[in-house]
Amino acid sequence: MTSISNDNHYECSSSSSSPTSEKIVNLIRQFTNTMKSGGLKLKERCKKPTQVHALTINSILSSSSNSDETSSTQFVNAKSHLPYGLPDLHLIEPPIDRYLNHVDFVDSISEIYRRITQCFSDSERSCLYLEQYAILCALGDPKLLRRSLQSAREHAVDVHSKVVLSAWLRYERREDELVGVSAMDCIGKVLECPKSALVSNGYDPFRSVFDCCQCVCENASENDECLVDDNDAKAEETVCFCIGNEVIRCVRPKIASLSSPLNTLLYGSFVESSKESIDFSQIGISVEAMRGVEIFSRTKKIIDFDSPSIVLDMLSFSQKFCCEEMKAACEVYLSSLVSNIDDALIFIEYGCEEHASLLVASCLQVLLRDLPNSLNNPKVLSLFCSPESMEKLSMVGHVSFLLYYFLTHVAIEEKMTPSNTVMLLERLTECAEKKWQKTLACHQLGVLLFEEEEYKNAQNCFKVAYEMGHVYSATGLARTMYKQGKTYLARDLINKIISDCKKPNGWMYQERSLYNLGSKKIQDLESATKLDPTLSYPYKYRAVSMVIENSINEAIEEINKIIRFKVSTDCLELRAWFYLVLEDYQAAVRDIRALLSLEPYYMMFHGKMRCDYLVDLLSQRVKQWTPADCWLQLYDRWSCIDDIGSLAIIHQMMAHEPGKSLLRFRQSLLLLRLNCQKAAMRSLRLARNLSTTNHERLVYEGWIFYDTGYREEALSKAEESISLQRSFEAYFLKAYTLADASVDPDSSSVIQLLVNALKCPSDGLRKGQALNNLGSIYVDCGKYDLAADCYINALDIKHTRAHQGLARVYSLKDERKAAYDEMTKLIEKAENNASAYEKRSEYCDRDYAMSDLCMATQLDPLRTYPYRYRAAVLMDEQKETEAVEELTKAIAFKPELQMLHLRAAFYESMSDYDLALRDCEAALCLDPNHKETLELYNRTQKQAAELYT
């Protein structure tokens, strides 16, 4: 088994401009006229023994030039404080989560896994996977969510579900952002193929939706024109259909074979049965369409016509006379003509009129695969929201909870107009049939109405969801009561929830803190952090409170506690804000640039000022770096393992070279390392779009495939890129992909690829990564001296993470003291690197190990190894209850596969088979193919069966 160290694939740089126009100065003057409550006025500052240096407009705009000084002195007498004061405690209240949030998450995923395995209906199983998706949204892991959607698509039977799920999967990959890629393009997999989605068939265990698609680019119906064969017409009994003055000669048995009604008409007891000529003038079919019917009766094909209206006439004729085969052929033909939104809106009307479900499905597919753009079209929105249109779609089987779940998901994620989103959520509520669907729809509608300050209506929605058993909806109920001045009722409700819950969640105490004051509030926030350290509000509240009390440095340290392991825009904004108070503009600009990397259009000061504009202002107060300076700074930040600092420098470098794809690529790699996957994918797509050469574009496409789970496609892109030009990135991509054992476990080929990569031109940062990965492969092969050489060479070019690999080599050589010292060097160089403490614990005795692991947990509570280690130690000491509790403490806020597996094993050893099975099922819900858990699950099932029989 080969492995490559999980350093991800990346790098960074920086610069900015400084506008001083009169227009900007006037705009700043407007900002100074507004002061939010909590601002530190000059008088108050002077009273403090430790002065707080607030950001002044004068200090922002001051410049060495005389003209700039003249402009800025106009503000000397203005209020000397931050443009929008200090952060407002009321405006940092935690938002209400939109997803289903079960009190016992492990129970919920265990149950859904059990129901899926016990279900034998494919359509029902597809619905269960959608429910699994809704539950797993609480984790926010894109890969888990995508797998649930893929499984739902795999078991989907009807065309409607296939169309919606295929479009949803495509939306999650956002191929519309790739230049030159059409919304209707097939990626080569049945899973997302638009044509495969229109085929109605059952689940086939021998054929997977992950198989390569045989889809071809030509239209669905390539029909050769079939001419009338007079000899055939004469050979059989004929009948003439008269339309006006035109006569269409047809083969009677062929026409009769189209449907039972036509057969009865031509061979039944009707008067027409004995006639050689039948008047069809009043039927409503054109002459051209009737000729098409005649040709289809003989050839079973729809020929190409000058106008689609002819086939629409044939479709109408098919509907009137129940010609199912011809109707299906007409639908296929017309479906191939639908290529854009305008076509879809036209044809969907005809499809609904003629009950042409397949045609409607193809139109619906075009609209869904063009999301989010199509929802900006008022006609499309009306189609999905108006009762009349919904009724028409329902008649042809194209209204479902699945459809509106997808639409509302897009509307919410794209932050569409609230009124439009409310309409879609109302439709979602109407489509909900099952309990979980109604709960989700009501809760999400309540959240949106709450954000729109429609508290009474929101309260009603939350109440419905709460009464259906969704305890988390009580947060919405309490919040709406609070906003209506019923603080005591809100607190009483949360008190009841906490008292009724055997094991309260962190969010319960966080919510109650909103309705408490003083020491009780602080106590609730501490309880919330203890139970769930990933909740950001407690850190933010404590930090802002410290700033108000003039303890700025302490506030920065408090907000650092969560930024160290969970980077988010709101926390970065607060830290930048605090640095502005200290007039540490360099640090403030760093955080704002990092923030912009996550969200390019973010608005600071509670949504009142654009970040990029603020960077331009502050750039006049910080040292400006040349591109060469940026590279030096990047090396420095890289060697300190300061990913946020590196990200900020990359953002500044992009100001020098906005069209350079390599910078976007490195930005994406840093964002991946910071676990900001959505932002990382956006940067990677931009890198692909900005690439100027084919070989470079192929590499970025390969990484897109790799990150979305398509390893073989990624490998193909890498090989194609290498065939065009040998480059570091192409070789590195191929090596990284091959290192995945599911593709190729051959270590020799990976080694050769990395060696080839190192021979190609690249910078030291990237080569350090390759050397580190090559060292990992050598270690796995037992070539410790070669591995040590790689790590030492990586350290020579400031790839500090190589200390970890070198320590591993020393350890494998039984030089534990050297390994410990090597990790100590990494700890000294790295900025609060929790993983360094975690790894060092492997090279010392138990007491020192426990100390390092406690430090790792303090720096990053999301790291699961420390909990597992401490639990194993407790089990060795036969403290089974304490061992289980140690794991349970972490599982409460991070239900991770390895911890669930370990706790299940603990329960098995304690003969508590029911809980062991529950944890196994929960773990398998996260990864149904995890070999060790499957073995434990099967073994425990047998033991439980023996116990109960």
Side-chain angles (χ1 to χ4, degrees):
M1 166 83 85
T2 59
S3 65
I4 285 184
S5 62
N6 188 19
D7 259 9
N8 285 323
H9 22 286
Y10 22 160
E11 258 115 276
C12 316
S13 287
S14 65
S15 173
S16 58
S17 60
S18 48
T20 57
S21 68
E22 188 64 21
K23 182 178 179 182
I24 295 175
V25 173
N26 289 334
L27 188 58
I28 294 299
R29 183 186 291 113
Q30 296 173 24
F31 291 155
T32 62
N33 293 332
T34 306
M35 171 63 177
K36 283 283 179 185
S37 60
L40 292 175
K41 295 184 172 61
L42 190 57
K43 275 187 192 178
E44 294 168 342
R45 288 170 50 207
C46 293
K47 291 178 184 177
K48 300 284 184 182
T50 305
Q51 186 178 15
V52 177
H53 299 285
L55 173 67
T56 63
I57 300 303
N58 179 56
S59 66
I60 293 177
L61 292 180
S62 60
S63 169
S64 57
S65 68
N66 293 332
S67 60
D68 288 345
E69 288 175 4
T70 304
S71 300
S72 63
T73 53
Q74 299 175 30
F75 299 97
V76 172
N77 296 324
K79 294 180 180 179
S80 182
H81 51 60
L82 285 164
Y84 290 99
L86 296 178
D88 191 326
L89 284 170
H90 294 292
L91 295 179
I92 63 168
E93 289 179 357
I96 303 171
D97 293 328
R98 298 178 183 277
Y99 45 73
L100 293 176
N101 190 349
H102 294 283
V103 173
D104 194 327
F105 181 78
V106 173
D107 268 351
S108 64
I109 60 175
S110 168
E111 182 198 4
I112 193 68
Y113 175 81
R114 187 164 55 251
R115 287 163 58 200
I116 288 171
T117 55
Q118 294 173 356
C119 179
F120 297 103
S121 165
D122 287 322
S123 59
E124 182 61 27
R125 183 170 284 194
S126 181
C127 293
L128 286 172
Y129 278 117
L130 183 67
E131 184 178 353
Q132 182 189 67
Y133 171 89
I135 295 171
L136 292 178
C137 280
L139 293 182
D141 186 331
K143 292 183 179 178
L144 285 179
L145 296 177
R146 183 169 180 81
R147 198 196 68 224
S148 293
L149 290 177
Q150 288 173 336
S151 298
R153 167 65 183 89
E154 185 173 17
H155 291 274
V157 175
D158 61 286
V159 168
H160 173 78
S161 297
K162 290 181 178 183
V163 163
V164 177
L165 288 165
S166 294
W168 197 334
L169 285 164
R170 186 204 167 274
Y171 170 78
E172 293 299 336
R173 297 197 311 112
R174 303 290 204 289
E175 279 193 355
D176 55 309
E177 294 181 23
L178 297 182
V179 173
V181 177
S182 165
M184 296 301 289
D185 283 350
C186 176
I187 64 167
K189 296 287 186 183
V190 175
L191 186 72
E192 294 179 39
C193 175
K195 291 183 180 178
S196 296
L198 295 175
V199 178
S200 179
N201 53 15
Y203 170 69
D204 184 353
F206 301 105
R207 295 188 64 191
S208 171
V209 292
F210 300 98
D211 290 343
C212 291
C213 184
Q214 300 303 316
C215 179
V216 288
C217 298
E218 57 264 26
N219 289 333
S221 57
E222 277 192 323
N223 300 299
D224 297 327
E225 184 173 352
C226 301
L227 301 176
V228 177
D229 191 331
D230 292 333
N231 293 327
D232 286 347
K234 292 175 181 177
E236 296 193 60
E237 183 183 359
T238 60
V239 61
C240 296
F241 293 97
C242 303
I243 301 174
N245 297 324
E246 297 286 340
V247 176
I248 298 91
R249 186 183 180 88
C250 302
V251 179
R252 184 182 288 265
K254 297 289 187 182
I255 291 292
S257 68
L258 291 178
S259 71
S260 294
L262 286 174
N263 184 69
T264 303
L265 174 70
L266 297 176
Y267 289 107
S269 56
F270 291 97
V271 175
E272 287 82 0
S273 301
S274 58
K275 291 184 176 180
E276 294 184 0
S277 180
I278 301 174
D279 187 4
F280 259 23
S281 299
Q282 304 303 315
I283 294 297
I285 186 170
S286 65
V287 174
E288 294 83 357
M290 194 62 213
R291 289 200 178 105
V293 171
E294 187 277 326
I295 293 172
F296 182 85
S297 71
R298 294 182 294 102
T299 66
K300 304 303 180 186
K301 292 182 179 180
I302 304 292
I303 65 171
D304 286 327
F305 292 99
D306 293 334
S307 171
S309 62
I310 299 172
V311 183
L312 286 170
D313 273 354
M314 292 175 66
L315 177 65
S316 180
F317 180 88
S318 301
Q319 177 66 17
K320 287 176 183 176
F321 288 95
C322 304
C323 306
E324 296 302 327
E325 186 181 10
M326 187 166 69
K327 180 182 178 184
C330 290
E331 288 189 62
V332 170
Y333 180 90
L334 292 169
S335 296
S336 69
L337 303 180
V338 184
S339 60
N340 55 55
I341 293 177
D342 292 334
D343 290 343
L345 290 171
I346 292 170
F347 281 107
I348 206 166
E349 288 293 329
Y350 285 104
C352 288
E353 261 183 50
E354 304 300 337
H355 297 277
S357 181
L358 184 65
L359 177 57
V360 173
S362 66
C363 296
L364 191 64
Q365 181 166 248
V366 170
L367 300 178
L368 295 180
R369 291 177 74 90
D370 198 45
L371 289 171
N373 299 329
S374 57
L375 273 183
N376 295 321
N377 187 317
K379 292 181 180 178
V380 174
L381 197 64
S382 175
L383 173 70
F384 290 128
C385 293
S386 72
E388 298 78 15
S389 296
M390 276 190 68
E391 186 177 353
K392 288 180 182 178
L393 289 174
S394 180
M395 293 293 289
V396 288
H398 287 292
V399 168
S400 67
F401 178 85
L402 170 63
L403 171 64
Y404 283 93
Y405 189 14
F406 177 32
L407 292 172
T408 54
H409 170 79
V410 173
I412 291 169
E413 188 163 290
E414 300 296 330
K415 298 177 181 177
M416 290 184 60
T417 307
S419 58
N420 293 339
T421 309
V422 166
M423 284 194 294
L424 289 170
L425 280 167
E426 287 172 345
R427 302 293 85 78
L428 179 70
T429 306
E430 293 168 9
C431 293
E433 296 177 352
K434 300 184 179 182
K435 183 179 176 181
W436 75 268
Q437 295 175 348
K438 293 175 183 177
T439 300
L440 177 65
C442 289
H443 180 76
Q444 288 196 337
L445 182 55
V447 172
L448 188 61
L449 292 172
F450 175 81
E451 291 173 352
E452 292 303 298
E453 300 182 1
E454 295 183 30
Y455 300 128
K456 193 64 180 176
N457 291 333
Q459 184 176 342
N460 293 333
C461 291
F462 286 127
K463 185 178 180 181
V464 172
Y466 178 62
E467 289 176 347
M468 283 192 288
H470 189 231
V471 177
Y472 180 73
S473 291
T475 58
L477 263 178
R479 207 77 69 89
T480 53
M481 292 174 184
Y482 173 59
K483 293 297 183 182
Q484 295 174 81
K486 302 172 184 177
T487 305
Y488 293 111
L489 290 176
R491 185 167 57 242
D492 288 345
L493 176 60
I494 302 301
N495 279 336
K496 181 180 182 303
I497 289 172
I498 292 174
S499 62
D500 290 346
C501 189
K502 293 180 180 178
K503 291 184 178 180
N505 296 154
W507 62 260
M508 297 177 184
Y509 290 98
Q510 173 179 273
E511 190 64 27
R512 191 172 69 177
S513 73
L514 300 177
Y515 318 123
N516 276 328
L517 299 171
S519 60
K520 288 185 177 180
K521 187 183 193 78
I522 298 301
Q523 187 178 349
D524 276 343
L525 291 172
E526 292 296 337
S527 297
T529 299
K530 184 178 180 181
L531 290 171
D532 187 352
T534 66
L535 295 172
S536 61
Y537 174 70
Y539 300 95
K540 290 161 64 178
Y541 181 88
R542 289 189 290 262
V544 174
S545 298
M546 290 172 184
V547 170
I548 292 172
E549 293 171 1
N550 207 12
S551 301
I552 315 299
N553 289 316
E554 291 83 348
I556 291 172
E557 184 53 39
E558 179 65 28
I559 206 69
N560 278 344
K561 289 178 183 177
I562 190 167
I563 290 177
R564 288 187 192 117
F565 67 89
K566 184 182 177 182
V567 177
S568 61
T569 53
D570 55 342
C571 291
L572 279 175
E573 176 191 3
L574 277 184
R575 192 169 73 172
W577 204 329
F578 299 160
Y579 279 124
L580 290 176
V581 176
L582 288 177
E583 294 186 2
D584 188 347
Y585 302 130
Q586 193 77 51
V589 169
R590 176 203 62 199
D591 282 352
I592 298 170
R593 286 191 180 280
L595 197 162
L596 283 167
S597 301
L598 269 68
E599 195 169 321
Y601 303 107
Y602 192 84
M603 303 284 285
M604 273 194 64
F605 305 127
H606 301 310
K608 295 181 176 65
M609 183 185 287
R610 282 183 54 165
C611 283
D612 54 353
Y613 178 70
L614 185 57
V615 167
D616 288 340
L617 291 176
L618 293 174
S619 294
Q620 300 179 45
R621 301 293 295 161
V622 299
K623 182 180 178 181
Q624 297 301 297
W625 293 334
T626 64
D629 293 332
C630 287
W631 276 107
L632 291 173
Q633 290 293 329
L634 182 58
Y635 269 90
D636 184 53
R637 292 297 88 211
W638 193 266
S639 64
C640 293
I641 313 185
D642 176 10
D643 292 331
I644 290 178
S646 299
L647 194 62
I649 296 167
I650 284 286
H651 186 271
Q652 187 172 347
M653 292 173 80
M654 289 192 299
H656 290 298
E657 300 177 274
K660 192 167 184 179
S661 59
L662 183 60
L663 293 178
R664 286 287 181 185
F665 174 58
R666 291 181 172 176
Q667 182 186 56
S668 76
L669 296 167
L670 277 168
L671 288 166
L672 272 181
R673 181 173 289 162
L674 291 168
N675 202 31
C676 302
Q677 297 185 38
K678 182 179 176 182
M681 190 56 70
R682 181 186 63 239
S683 295
L684 189 52
R685 289 190 206 98
L686 286 171
R688 184 269 187 194
N689 291 344
L690 291 170
S691 56
T692 55
T693 61
N694 285 335
H695 76 271
E696 184 183 31
R697 176 178 54 79
L698 288 165
V699 169
Y700 300 147
E701 288 180 357
W703 280 121
I704 290 173
F705 276 120
Y706 181 88
D707 289 336
T708 50
Y710 295 104
R711 304 292 194 264
E712 294 178 3
E713 287 76 4
L715 187 60
S716 175
K717 293 289 183 181
E719 291 171 344
E720 189 178 351
S721 179
I722 292 171
S723 69
L724 294 177
Q725 180 173 321
R726 297 179 179 183
S727 69
F728 174 92
E729 293 300 346
Y731 279 122
F732 191 87
L733 169 62
K734 186 174 180 181
Y736 207 95
T737 307
L738 282 176
D740 189 327
S742 64
V743 175
D744 185 353
D746 183 11
S747 58
S748 60
S749 60
V750 177
I751 290 171
Q752 188 57 52
L753 286 166
L754 288 172
V755 169
N756 290 342
L758 289 165
K759 292 177 182 177
C760 297
S762 186
D763 57 77
L765 296 175
R766 206 69 177 118
K767 289 200 171 183
Q769 175 73 69
L771 285 165
N772 197 57
N773 289 353
L774 182 57
S776 297
I777 303 297
Y778 280 137
V779 168
D780 289 339
C781 297
K783 300 176 181 179
Y784 301 141
D785 291 337
L786 290 174
D789 289 342
C790 288
Y791 292 129
I792 291 169
N793 289 335
L795 289 170
D796 288 341
I797 51 178
K798 291 191 173 185
H799 192 80
T800 308
R801 287 181 173 85
H803 281 297
Q804 185 170 311
L806 194 54
R808 184 183 173 200
V809 170
Y810 288 141
S811 175
L812 291 169
K813 289 182 174 182
D814 292 328
E815 300 174 17
R816 288 174 61 81
K817 177 65 169 63
Y820 183 88
D821 292 341
E822 200 64 35
M823 290 308 301
T824 302
K825 293 177 185 177
L826 176 57
I827 289 171
E828 291 169 353
K829 291 181 182 179
E831 294 189 352
N832 302 311
N833 195 325
S835 67
Y837 282 101
E838 181 183 297
K839 288 296 180 184
R840 191 174 72 170
S841 71
E842 298 177 13
Y843 312 128
C844 54
D845 60 34
R846 180 173 289 187
D847 290 339
Y848 282 105
M850 292 294 274
S851 175
D852 276 353
L853 291 174
C854 286
M855 178 60 74
T857 298
Q858 183 180 332
L859 293 173
D860 183 356
L862 290 177
R863 302 194 72 85
T864 60
Y865 174 77
Y867 298 97
R868 287 186 277 129
Y869 179 89
R870 289 190 290 264
V873 169
L874 289 167
M875 282 297 284
D876 285 344
E877 297 171 353
Q878 296 184 341
K879 297 178 180 178
E880 296 174 335
T881 304
E882 292 87 341
V884 167
E885 187 56 39
E886 179 67 22
L887 293 176
T888 301
K889 185 167 56 178
I891 288 172
F893 60 86
K894 190 177 182 183
E896 188 251 3
L897 173 67
Q898 293 293 341
M899 286 198 294
L900 287 166
H901 174 85
L902 184 58
R903 192 171 71 172
F906 285 178
Y907 280 132
E908 184 205 23
S909 69
M910 296 161 64
S911 299
D912 195 338
Y913 300 125
D914 288 340
L915 291 177
L917 288 172
R918 180 203 62 181
D919 281 355
C920 282
E921 288 163 349
L924 291 170
C925 183
L926 302 177
D927 183 358
N929 300 314
H930 191 251
K931 183 179 178 181
E932 291 81 3
T933 304
L934 283 169
E935 291 173 355
L936 175 60
Y937 187 45
N938 294 330
R939 186 172 68 245
T940 306
Q941 281 182 317
K942 291 178 182 178
Q943 291 171 332
E946 291 171 2
L947 180 66
Y948 297 129
T949 54

